[in-house]
Amino acid sequence: MSINLVEAAAFVGGNIYGNKKVIINNLAKIDEAKTGDLTFLYMSSYEKFFPVTKASAILVKPGFDKSRDDITYIEVKDPNKAFSKLIIKYFSPEFSLNGIDSTAYVHPAAVIGKNVALGKNVVISAGCKIGDNVKIYHNTVLLEDVEVGESSLLFQNVSIREKCKIGKRVIIHPGTVVGSDGFGYFTDDKGVYQKIPQIGIVIIEDDVELGSNVSVDRAALGATIIKRGVKIDNLVQIAHNVIIGEDTVISSQSGVSGSTKIGNNCILAGQVGLVGHIKLENNVIVAAQSGVSKSILKPGLYFGSPAKEIKTASKLEAHIRNFPEYVDRIKKLEDQLEALKEELNNLKS
Amino acid sequence: MSINLVEAAAFVGGNIYGNKKVIINNLAKIDEAKTGDLTFLYMSSYEKFFPVTKASAILVKPGFDKSRDDITYIEVKDPNKAFSKLIIKYFSPEFSLNGIDSTAYVHPAAVIGKNVALGKNVVISAGCKIGDNVKIYHNTVLLEDVEVGESSLLFQNVSIREKCKIGKRVIIHPGTVVGSDGFGYFTDDKGVYQKIPQIGIVIIEDDVELGSNVSVDRAALGATIIKRGVKIDNLVQIAHNVIIGEDTVISSQSGVSGSTKIGNNCILAGQVGLVGHIKLENNVIVAAQSGVSKSILKPGLYFGSPAKEIKTASKLEAHIRNFPEYVDRIKKLEDQLEALKEELNNLKS
Amino acid sequence: MSINLVEAAAFVGGNIYGNKKVIINNLAKIDEAKTGDLTFLYMSSYEKFFPVTKASAILVKPGFDKSRDDITYIEVKDPNKAFSKLIIKYFSPEFSLNGIDSTAYVHPAAVIGKNVALGKNVVISAGCKIGDNVKIYHNTVLLEDVEVGESSLLFQNVSIREKCKIGKRVIIHPGTVVGSDGFGYFTDDKGVYQKIPQIGIVIIEDDVELGSNVSVDRAALGATIIKRGVKIDNLVQIAHNVIIGEDTVISSQSGVSGSTKIGNNCILAGQVGLVGHIKLENNVIVAAQSGVSKSILKPGLYFGSPAKEIKTASKLEAHIRNFPEYVDRIKKLEDQLEALKEELNNLKS
């Protein structure tokens, strides 16, 4: 792959400073770049690598101090985004799986679209509908009546249980499970847990991505719904009857308990927990490891366990950090008060 | 499916008010119910949906205000439990897997009971014993000498390692692993970790349910034991030599460290962590995201990290929440004390 | 298996006291040992089992009170380590998988070493290189160009995505995923997330062990690197471009965010979270459930969320635990100050 720098700069709307004819054949992080690589700089903590990087070209913000003359600069408003666009343009991976492997099983009562690729030992059960251009990798299993929309990509060892609906252009990484039973029991007269059949489904809308080893439970009744454009990281738990709004992002190892509704454009950072039966308004951001125990009806940034608005939470954090100082002040007050008492007594006598 | 309301009410011991002949053909949540649906009301936060629900019938508690006359009411002591019993009666899912698929592998030295169903690419290794009426879905793999008791149900892509014993009527969801090695090493004379072979097993007793993507490690020696009736949610970690008592419930993303013993009828809420080598008495409940670092020998509700009795923990929570107030009071005390000092000095002079 | 006690004692450098000819045929924990078992004692909390254990022999520290004369003692400096060495010597499990199963698929353009074992339905894609003596269990899938070094052991239902490199003597437990896409998006001009192709790889060096249901993401660019001797427990998340230093240990359900670098000989206890783009120096230990939000550049033990040095964190913990006492002291101060004021007023009037 040889990248024409003039073309690349035009594509991202950038201006070139320096040698426009330098040969670029790869993209790399600034601390790992070699001769022939194009790199980028967007976080100040990586600026220390600029004087020593071996990159041949670099995407920088307007006004960047171009002190090295052995590097070609492309000035662009958002170097990070521009770099991502170049990755998409020049280095999008191709998933070469093609055709229906002879070891894949397709039930006669399943409907398979055009140009579908099914890997080895894939199981497509009765009643499934697989859209055009879908790729399903080896050993992935779809139980009965599952629908997968066009151009979706399911990697290996994915498990989709019966009746779940997956939209278009959905990506599901290995080991992920869609449609396992929700965690629902009642205690019978002997105090023993009896399972409540989970007879709902999971609906995953278009353009969703699920990481690896994610668990999305089917609804007790109705549907667990992951709306258009939601991105879910590895090892996340989505319980039964949860609804996640459009363009919401959930980071690794977070968990959402049953029947909770998350709005659009929310962000849950890593290892966040949400209790059940609450609601998060659109545009709510929850910081890492926070625990949300009540509905959040106002957009904003929340953290802590229980999660509070950032301003309140930061104040509490600071108070806790300064706790030793407050204890000292209490001690000092006690001493001074004791001294005052004595003085007063002396005065009286 | 058409449900006879008189029969349904009798089944759950309820009394009907209104049109007993209304046609019911489905069950639904109150906020999603349509004409022809039976719904239920048990959490006060869902009462707001009562005036607008389209359900044709509703399970309610005795004394509920039956202000709408277009709905048939079934009064019953516990609407939630009654509804669950109706799901079981009328809507229990059937898992249609039948027979032993030609692509399933059964080692000649395995013993397979009557009426066993093995899906595609299932692997049953030497020495396995599979009880009557067991269903094992596609691509699930049992290594050598695994036993599965009658009427158990294993979904797709489940991994059971050698020698583990699974009881009767056990349900295991996709992606779950039973019998992976416990996390045990010692440091050799060069300071390098050496693996301690994990030569124990896992015993899962009758009526246990394991969610999806659960990890249950085999014992270093002896057995990791999950006792009768335990219910474990998705993405839970059970380390080596853990023992979990009967009818205990463990919610999603909780983790139990090595050699810890949990009593009967305990509840771990979501994302709870327990250190190793401790003991939880029967009837201990641990709130979400708590961290238990010491044995809990008294039944009750615990929370926090480290977990404390609910009364102590709530008091601390309240104090922390009110921290800014205490800081204000300290400042005020300092000011007042300063003023007093001055006054006293004035008095002396 | 019959263990010669004299030989066993010599192997671990221990001294025998009592009947050297007692027949030993198994190893067991002290609370589970039966006649004929060798056990060991190293944690004081297990000493209560000594008077009642049925073990025939026991590994103890020098100076242990040998009050029972029906047990043979082996005195050894580190009974725990000695016991582990005996497990390795006498009870190392053999994984009997042998040969290439007829249902395993090996692409013609893959290179397979000597004495490789591939289980049922294993998929080895084009360009893969599998070293000598590798064992890969049933239904495990390697996409294109994966390398696995000699004597590595991959259990069932493991997923390795394209181009990832796995070293020698690596062990990977069931359900684990190596090379899923890193969690990387940018927001386009309409505010919708666009996926950044993750075109890097994962490098897992020699002697690494990955537990079950672990997720290791491929790098955005370059490589996510898990260095020699790292041990990773179940359900751990390793994000894109993370680098983990040699002989570091990561316990269950911990998560490491993108581009973070962990040094050598570090320990993350269970359910720890690290934010992205930070650095942990060699020999840093992070206690369970801690959250690390900044680089840690000094070896030592850290805990809390945010994580602090153990001394600072313990002091804060103690202050929080004693919060009710401080509140009482504030109230008392207020009362006393009020009393003083009154007294002073009385004095003035």
Side-chain angles (χ1 to χ4, degrees), chain A residues 112-314:
Chain A
I112 307 291
K114 291 174 196 163
N115 195 30
V116 165
L118 303 178
K120 301 205 165 280
N121 314 313
V122 164
V123 179
I124 308 293
S125 302
C128 287
K129 291 183 190 169
I130 310 298
D132 296 349
N133 304 310
V134 166
K135 287 183 196 284
I136 301 182
Y137 267 87
H138 320 298
N139 289 8
T140 282
V141 175
L142 278 56
L143 298 193
E144 290 74 16
D145 303 311
V146 166
E147 297 180 17
V148 181
E150 60 184 51
S151 300
S152 286
L153 171 63
L154 278 59
F155 283 100
Q156 68 261 49
N157 287 322
V158 168
S159 302
I160 315 287
R161 274 192 47 197
E162 68 278 8
K163 295 181 189 164
C164 294
K165 293 183 202 312
I166 293 167
K168 299 172 185 171
R169 298 172 301 279
V170 168
I171 301 173
I172 303 183
H173 286 277
T176 281
V177 177
V178 174
S180 41
D181 283 356
F183 200 58
Y185 306 90
F186 68 92
T187 47
D188 68 14
D189 303 337
K190 294 171 189 163
V192 171
Y193 289 103
Q194 297 296 336
K195 181 177 178 65
I196 304 171
Q198 303 289 302
I199 59 175
I201 63 169
V202 176
I203 297 172
I204 293 179
E205 294 186 358
D206 298 344
D207 299 306
V208 166
E209 182 163 1
L210 304 179
S212 55
N213 289 325
V214 169
S215 290
V216 182
D217 277 351
R218 66 196 311 110
L221 289 167
T224 303
I225 304 176
I226 299 183
K227 294 197 176 172
R228 188 199 52 71
V230 168
K231 311 298 181 190
I232 293 184
D233 201 356
N234 306 334
L235 293 161
V236 165
Q237 151 77 352
I238 306 295
H240 50 183
N241 289 95
V242 163
I243 297 176
I244 302 177
E246 297 188 356
D247 298 309
T248 278
V249 169
I250 301 184
S251 299
S252 180
Q253 296 179 319
S254 286
V256 183
S257 303
S259 297
T260 281
K261 293 184 188 182
I262 301 178
N264 300 339
N265 296 103
C266 292
I267 298 174
L268 306 188
Q271 299 183 333
V272 164
L274 271 60
V275 302
H277 296 279
I278 61 170
K279 190 184 167 183
L280 262 60
E281 196 39 83
N282 296 344
N283 299 300
V284 166
I285 301 171
V286 184
Q289 292 194 323
S290 297
V292 183
S293 55
K294 288 178 184 171
S295 288
I296 299 180
L297 301 176
K298 207 177 122 191
L301 174 55
Y302 294 78
F303 86 84
S305 186
K308 298 167 195 72
E309 270 195 281
I310 178 73
K311 212 173 146 184
T312 311
S314 303

Side-chain angles (χ1 to χ4, degrees), chain C residues 20-45:
Chain C
K20 297 182 181 187
K21 294 193 175 162
V22 63
I23 292 164
I24 296 297
N25 37 44
N26 213 347
L27 306 180
K29 292 175 66 184
I30 191 166
D31 50 335
E32 296 171 351
K34 298 187 292 282
T35 304
D37 289 350
L38 169 65
T39 190
F40 69 116
L41 191 48
Y42 79 109
M43 284 178 78
S44 58
S45 61

Side-chain angles (χ1 to χ4, degrees), chain C residues 49-256:
Chain C
F49 297 111
F50 174 67
V52 293
T53 184
K54 291 177 180 160
S56 297
I58 186 165
L59 290 152
V60 295
K61 285 188 196 171
F64 182 79
D65 172 33
K66 294 180 266 303
S67 52
R68 281 182 61 179
D69 56 9
D70 57 340
I71 291 188
T72 304
Y73 301 85
I74 303 177
E75 268 192 7
V76 63
K77 200 178 154 194
D78 186 337
N80 190 25
K81 193 181 285 189
F83 193 76
S84 297
K85 287 180 177 172
L86 293 176
I87 295 178
I88 293 172
K89 182 173 173 65
Y90 294 106
F91 292 96
S92 275
E94 279 178 41
F95 293 100
S96 58
L97 192 71
N98 262 307
I100 295 179
D101 193 89
S102 63
T103 61
Y105 172 77
V106 178
H107 191 282
V111 178
I112 307 290
K114 291 174 197 164
N115 194 31
V116 166
L118 302 178
K120 300 204 167 281
N121 313 313
V122 163
V123 179
I124 308 292
S125 302
C128 288
K129 291 183 190 169
I130 309 298
D132 297 346
N133 303 309
V134 166
K135 287 181 195 287
I136 301 182
Y137 267 88
H138 320 299
N139 289 9
T140 282
V141 175
L142 279 55
L143 297 194
E144 290 74 16
D145 304 311
V146 167
E147 296 180 18
V148 180
E150 61 184 50
S151 301
S152 285
L153 171 63
L154 277 60
F155 283 99
Q156 69 261 51
N157 287 322
V158 167
S159 302
I160 315 287
R161 274 192 47 198
E162 68 279 8
K163 295 180 191 167
C164 295
K165 294 185 202 308
I166 293 168
K168 300 172 185 172
R169 298 173 301 279
V170 168
I171 302 172
I172 303 183
H173 286 277
T176 282
V177 177
V178 174
S180 40
D181 282 356
F183 199 58
Y185 307 90
F186 68 92
T187 47
D188 67 15
D189 302 336
K190 294 171 191 164
V192 171
Y193 290 103
Q194 297 296 337
K195 181 176 179 66
I196 304 171
Q198 303 289 303
I199 60 175
I201 63 168
V202 176
I203 297 173
I204 293 179
E205 294 186 358
D206 298 344
D207 299 306
V208 167
E209 182 163 2
L210 304 180
S212 54
N213 289 325
V214 169
S215 290
V216 183
D217 277 352
R218 65 196 311 109
L221 288 167
T224 304
I225 305 175
I226 299 182
K227 294 198 176 172
R228 187 199 52 71
V230 168
K231 311 298 182 189
I232 293 183
D233 201 357
N234 306 333
L235 293 161
V236 164
Q237 151 76 353
I238 305 295
H240 51 184
N241 290 94
V242 163
I243 297 176
I244 302 177
E246 297 189 356
D247 298 310
T248 279
V249 169
I250 302 184
S251 300
S252 181
Q253 296 179 320
S254 286
V256 184

Side-chain angles (χ1 to χ4, degrees), chain A residues 90-105:
Chain A
Y90 293 105
F91 292 97
S92 275
E94 279 179 39
F95 293 101
S96 59
L97 192 72
N98 263 306
I100 295 178
D101 192 89
S102 63
T103 62
Y105 171 78

